[in-house]
């Protein structure tokens, strides 16, 4: 072999060794890339899985059944000591928490006290307070009925209507027109009947309807913050909402209003009381006072017509004189007991309450409720119709009225431990 041939063989061997080394490195690189894309990018990391074990029912620890509190009757002020039970999930035993003192504001300035305590199915829910006395306060969202205020003397745009004042009072033609409007409203309780008249932008929320005595008619526009636009006469306030029956049974509302009180429960008018019975107005009377029977009532005169069987629509009404309400006893034969109705405990029913002052001067109202015991009602026993823990006293109302009361309050007797009809506006 020549030297040239031997050198060529050595060079070829070197080239082959280098080529095979590079090829091996290349295959290793390609393999790594394939592994990366397959395992890291495509498959991705898998989250750890946790397996749960649910023991058979017979192996689980016993869970005491919760108890439901009976709250059909509640004292006027809620208890200061509340010890709630907290149930821990997945069968843990109840844990008793430390007692919590809840401060209670007993002032009668209309401010509501909100209690953030749920008290069981069928009981009293969140937001229940003790405010909403008189015509109500401005705190919405709690257990109260929402009130809307209308002035029949002016249109929605503020133009005068045919109902105008003579001095400080509405005279005969205007009074007849007011009765006509209330009569139309009583047929359906459609808000559209009143929507054509001025409406205060302020809403009030009432939890009871107890404002007895001679209260200045200007107090209502003050409460609804429209005293600069509304003269104290020919106004209407309508309260609406839904209430939950605290117990099953047959009930009736008992009350009166100066000048008009109307109540509709579960879409049926169950009480019209006061100086006028709007649904009885026939539209033809031109009397100068509200004492005319055909003009919708007039206290004793119309009550006698009912007693004599001249009005079948209100034949079920009863008139009850009570100690301590001399003015209403003398003028309206006391309080009027309306038509009875039946409810089921825990079921919710719509309710609407209308209060109206017709000629001006003074107004007042009271709404109580009775439950039928056996086959009759006990006219020595009355509950305050209320939607929270409110329980007004004469002292509370005098402080609330702040100079708008003429004379003394004549409070009809009622049970201060009255059941609560929890409300939703």
């Amino acid at each position: 072999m020549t030297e040239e041939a031997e050198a060529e063989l050595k060079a070829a061997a070197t080239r082959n060794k280098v080529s095979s080394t590079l090829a091996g490195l290349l295959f290793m690189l390609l393999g790594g890339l394939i592994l990366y894309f397959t395992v890291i990018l495509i498959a991705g990391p898998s989250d750890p899985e946790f397996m749960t074990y649910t023991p058979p029912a017979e192996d689980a620890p016993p869970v005491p059944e919760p108890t439901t509190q009976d709250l059909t009757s509640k004292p006027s002020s809620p208890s200061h000591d509340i010890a709630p039970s907290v149930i821990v999930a997945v069968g843990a035993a109840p844990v008793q928490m430390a007692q919590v003192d809840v401060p209670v504001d007993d002032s009668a300035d209309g401010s509501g006290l909100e209690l953030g305590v749920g008290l069981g199915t069928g009981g009293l829910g969140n937001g229940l307070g003790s405010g909403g006395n008189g015509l109500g306060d401005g705190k919405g969202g709690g257990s109260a009925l929402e009130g809307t205020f209308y002035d029949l003397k002016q249109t929605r745009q503020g133009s005068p209507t045919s109902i105008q004042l003579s001095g400080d009072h509405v005279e005969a033609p205007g009074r007849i027109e007011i009765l006509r409007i209330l009569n139309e409203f009583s047929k359906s309780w459609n808000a559209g009947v009143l929507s054509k008249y001025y409406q205060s932008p302020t809403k009030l929320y009432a939890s009871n309807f107890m404002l007895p005595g001679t209260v200045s008619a200007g107090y209502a526009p003050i409460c609804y913050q429209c005293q600069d636009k509304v003269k104290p006469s020919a106004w209407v306030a309508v309260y609406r909402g839904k209430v939950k029956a605290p117990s099953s049974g047959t009930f009736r509302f008992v009350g009166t209003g100066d000048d008009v009180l109307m109540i509709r429960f579960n879409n049926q008018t169950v009480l019209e009381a006061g100086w006028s019975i709007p649904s009885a107005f026939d539209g033809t009377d031109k009397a100068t006072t509200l004492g005319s029977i055909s003009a919708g009532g007039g206290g004793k005169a119309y009550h006698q017509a009912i007693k004599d069987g001249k009005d079948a629509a209100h034949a079920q009404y009863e008139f009850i004189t009570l100690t301590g309400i001399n003015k209403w006893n003398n003028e309206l034969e006391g309080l009027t007991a309306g038509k009875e109705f039946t409810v089921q405990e825990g079921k919710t029913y719509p309710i609407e309450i209308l209060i109206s002052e017709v000629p001006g001067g003074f107004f007042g109202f009271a709404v109580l409720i009775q439950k039928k015991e056996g086959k009759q009602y006990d006219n020595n026993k009355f509950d305050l119709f209320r939607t929270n823990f409110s329980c007004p006293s004469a002292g509370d109302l005098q402080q609330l009225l702040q100079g708008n009361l003429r004379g003394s309050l004549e409070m009809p007797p009622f049970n201060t431990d009255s059941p609560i009809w929890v409300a939703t506006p």
Side-chain angles (χ1 to χ4, degrees), residues 19 81 101 108 157 198 220 248 268 276 278 304:
S19 298
D81 298 323
D101 289 331
Q157 293 74 27
Y198 171 83
S248 299
Q268 177 188 11
S276 302
Q304 190 60 49

Side-chain angles (χ1 to χ4, degrees), residues 135-211:
L135 288 169
D137 58 38
K139 293 182 177 292
S143 180
L145 305 183
E146 182 180 83
T148 304
F149 182 87
Y150 303 91
D151 178 23
L152 305 184
K153 302 184 300 300
Q154 55 183 315
T155 67
R156 190 171 183 176
Q157 293 74 27
S159 301
T161 66
S162 60
I163 303 171
Q164 293 301 307
L165 296 176
S166 176
D168 294 330
H169 288 72
V170 176
E171 295 299 334
R175 299 186 190 189
I176 297 301
E177 177 64 13
I178 294 170
L179 286 177
R180 185 197 66 76
I181 295 170
L182 294 179
N183 172 266
E184 182 182 359
F185 181 77
S186 71
K187 296 176 182 178
S188 64
W189 287 72
N190 188 336
V193 175
L194 300 176
S195 64
K196 66 184 72 174
Y197 302 101
Y198 171 83
Q199 177 178 325
S200 171
T202 298
K203 301 285 187 180
L204 293 183
Y205 300 87
S207 60
N208 68 76
F209 297 86
M210 180 62 63
L211 203 63

Side-chain angles (χ1 to χ4, degrees), residues 108-137:
D109 61 356
S111 61
L113 171 65
E114 296 186 355
L115 301 180
V117 181
L119 297 178
T121 303
L124 309 180
N126 292 340
L128 205 67
S130 59
N133 294 323
L135 288 169
D137 58 38

Side-chain angles (χ1 to χ4, degrees), residues 40-333:
I40 304 301
L41 296 184
I42 298 177
S46 59
D47 295 330
E49 297 183 357
F50 296 92
M51 298 183 63
T52 60
Y53 169 70
T54 303
E58 59 270 15
D59 295 335
V63 180
E65 295 185 359
T67 58
T68 301
Q69 301 184 39
D70 181 9
L71 293 174
T72 58
S73 179
K74 189 72 179 178
S76 59
S77 295
S79 173
H80 292 263
D81 298 323
I82 301 175
S85 294
V86 178
I87 306 302
V88 182
V90 197
V95 177
Q96 294 294 329
M97 297 181 66
Q99 291 186 345
V100 179
D101 289 331
V102 180
V104 179
D105 182 8
D106 291 327
S107 65
D109 61 356
S111 61
L113 171 65
E114 296 186 355
L115 301 180
V117 181
L119 297 178
T121 303
L124 309 180
N126 292 340
L128 205 67
S130 59
N133 294 323
L135 288 169
D137 58 38
K139 293 182 177 292
S143 180
L145 305 183
E146 182 180 83
T148 304
F149 182 87
Y150 303 91
D151 178 23
L152 305 184
K153 302 184 300 300
Q154 55 183 315
T155 67
R156 190 171 183 176
Q157 293 74 27
S159 301
T161 66
S162 60
I163 303 171
Q164 293 301 307
L165 296 176
S166 176
D168 294 330
H169 288 72
V170 176
E171 295 299 334
R175 299 186 190 189
I176 297 301
E177 177 64 13
I178 294 170
L179 286 177
R180 185 197 66 76
I181 295 170
L182 294 179
N183 172 266
E184 182 182 359
F185 181 77
S186 71
K187 296 176 182 178
S188 64
W189 287 72
N190 188 336
V193 175
L194 300 176
S195 64
K196 66 184 72 174
Y197 302 101
Y198 171 83
Q199 177 178 325
S200 171
T202 298
K203 301 285 187 180
L204 293 183
Y205 300 87
S207 60
N208 68 76
F209 297 86
M210 180 62 63
L211 203 63
T214 51
V215 180
S216 172
Y219 179 67
I222 292 174
C223 290
Y224 278 92
Q225 301 181 20
C226 58
Q227 66 271 26
D228 58 333
K229 296 182 179 179
V230 177
K231 298 288 182 65
S233 62
W235 53 255
V236 176
V238 181
Y239 294 81
R240 300 179 186 269
K242 295 180 180 180
V243 293
K244 183 182 295 184
S247 63
S248 299
T250 300
F251 294 80
R252 68 179 182 180
F253 285 104
V254 180
T256 195
D258 180 1
D259 291 291
V260 179
L261 170 71
M262 294 173 59
I263 301 177
R264 186 166 81 150
F265 187 88
N266 198 21
N267 301 317
Q268 177 188 11
T269 300
V270 294
L271 181 63
E272 295 177 84
W275 284 98
S276 302
I277 308 294
S279 66
F281 175 63
D282 61 12
T284 62
D285 195 286
K286 301 299 181 183
T288 58
T289 71
L290 295 177
S292 170
I293 292 176
S294 60
K300 293 181 179 180
Y302 191 76
H303 296 170
Q304 190 60 49
I306 294 177
K307 295 175 184 177
D308 293 341
K310 298 179 180 179
D311 183 1
H314 302 91
Q316 196 177 7
Y317 280 21
E318 183 180 355
F319 308 101
I320 306 170
T321 57
L322 298 171
T323 302
I325 54 169
N326 296 325
K327 182 178 187 296
W328 285 342
N329 285 339
N330 294 333
E331 297 176 352
L332 302 170
E333 289 193 292

